[in-house]
Amino acid sequence: LLNNAVCLPQTLLELYLRILQQGEISVNQSPEQQELINLGLVVQQENKLKIANRLYQSIFNLDWVRDQLSHLTPKLPAAAEESNKNSPKNQQVTQIKNEPLAQIVAFAIALGLVVVTPFIIVFNNSQQKPVPENANNNLDSQSFSISSLCNVPISNELASQESLRLRLEQEQQKSPEQFSQNCQNQLDQLIVLNALQLGKENRVLDGINDLCQITVTSESFNQANFWLNRWSNSTDWGEQTTSYLSSINDCPAAE
């Protein structure tokens, strides 16, 4: 991603950043979109591009992308650089390399790009960021208390749902004794929503694994039970779902 031979790393990072911020973008068959798919960072679902999985989203997150962008300077990818060497325009530039004035102008332009580019990136990011409407936009804040986290209204955006689920799972592992029922209910709702999204992506077995995490005492149990029954009776997924459930020893919502 950072030393790409096909596309400019800056362009790839900016495109990936936009997908992180918006949750998904429309497919336009650009080389940058195709390269992100080839790298495995994003997947195409119908006519949308989305982050491939929650693990990638948590590691290659907004802070990481912005940090990488701040360290990158404009540089041609290897393939473009090689083709550019033989272009007539490049040969003209080579001919005037030894002229002092040309060197000064070239240096000034390069320096201007290095100085201005980070400001352009920051400006673009600020334009793309949605105005915070609820506490979902503060999920990455260290000062965000667990009690507040468990009362955050669940956003319709997949990226926000995944971020909230990740934080709740982290809190549950870190302090299971302090993880309230309210927090568990919030987490269970997110698990069911994620399972339904996996179903839309035809990743039914992954969705079943999520639904099987829901316990009998959970407020989301009826939802989990409903969707497992629906998938079991589906003409497309019924046989696959039934076979997979029979191989699982513990799935409360399937009983």
Side-chain angles (χ1 to χ4, degrees):
L1 181 62
L2 301 179
N3 300 279
N4 198 274
V6 179
C7 302
L8 286 171
Q10 292 92 334
T11 308
L12 289 174
L13 284 171
E14 288 167 2
L15 176 61
Y16 179 68
L17 177 64
R18 190 152 61 91
I19 300 173
L20 272 177
Q21 291 174 322
Q22 298 179 12
E24 61 182 25
I25 63 171
S26 298
V27 173
N28 61 15
Q29 305 298 334
S30 69
E32 289 78 15
Q33 287 193 357
Q34 187 58 49
E35 186 62 14
L36 286 181
I37 293 174
N38 293 341
L39 291 172
L41 280 175
V42 302
V43 292
Q44 180 176 343
Q45 297 167 10
E46 296 180 353
N47 64 335
K48 299 290 185 181
L49 282 188
K50 302 179 181 180
I51 306 302
N53 59 57
R54 192 163 54 249
L55 180 61
Y56 283 173
Q57 185 173 3
S58 64
I59 296 175
F60 306 109
N61 55 30
L62 292 173
D63 290 337
W64 182 86
V65 176
R66 289 168 180 154
D67 182 62
Q68 298 305 320
L69 280 170
S70 69
H71 289 89
L72 283 175
T73 56
K75 179 183 178 182
L76 285 175
E81 188 175 1
E82 183 63 28
S83 64
N84 196 41
K85 284 181 181 178
N86 300 319
S87 69
K89 182 178 178 182
N90 189 66
Q91 291 172 2
Q92 292 174 5
V93 173
T94 304
Q95 291 172 359
I96 64 170
K97 265 190 174 179
N98 293 327
E99 298 181 19
L101 181 58
Q103 289 181 335
I104 293 173
V105 172
F107 177 76
I109 292 174
L111 181 61
L113 285 173
V114 172
V115 172
V116 173
T117 298
F119 288 99
I120 294 175
I121 292 171
V122 171
F123 177 77
N124 285 341
N125 289 343
S126 67
Q127 296 299 311
Q128 293 168 358
K129 270 189 175 180
V131 177
E133 295 180 355
N134 54 49
N136 257 322
N137 298 299
N138 297 320
L139 291 181
D140 293 328
S141 172
Q142 294 297 323
S143 60
F144 207 66
S145 67
I146 181 62
S147 59
S148 300
L149 195 66
C150 297
N151 291 299
V152 170
I154 297 177
S155 169
N156 291 327
E157 296 182 359
L158 295 179
S160 297
Q161 291 177 12
E162 291 180 352
S163 178
L164 178 56
R165 177 179 174 177
L166 182 63
R167 282 294 307 276
L168 285 170
E169 288 175 339
Q170 290 173 342
E171 292 293 339
Q172 185 183 45
Q173 294 175 4
K174 184 170 64 176
S175 305
E177 67 284 350
Q178 297 179 8
F179 201 71
S180 67
Q181 186 59 47
N182 190 32
C183 293
Q184 187 62 57
N185 291 336
Q186 182 87 307
L187 178 56
D188 288 347
Q189 289 181 46
L190 291 165
I191 290 173
V192 172
L193 288 173
N194 187 68
L196 300 186
Q197 179 59 33
L198 291 171
K200 291 179 182 178
E201 299 168 9
N202 288 324
R203 297 166 56 191
V204 181
L205 299 186
D206 291 332
I208 293 173
N209 286 331
D210 266 357
L211 294 176
C212 286
Q213 296 181 39
I214 306 302
T215 63
V216 176
T217 57
S218 170
E219 291 183 352
S220 301
F221 176 79
N222 289 337
Q223 286 180 301
N225 177 257
F226 170 82
W227 286 106
L228 284 177
N229 283 329
R230 182 165 179 173
W231 290 353
S232 297
N233 296 321
S234 166
T235 54
D236 296 324
W237 307 331
E239 184 177 348
Q240 186 181 20
T241 301
T242 304
S243 174
Y244 188 66
L245 285 173
S246 64
S247 68
I248 297 178
N249 295 326
D250 185 21
C251 186
E255 295 177 2

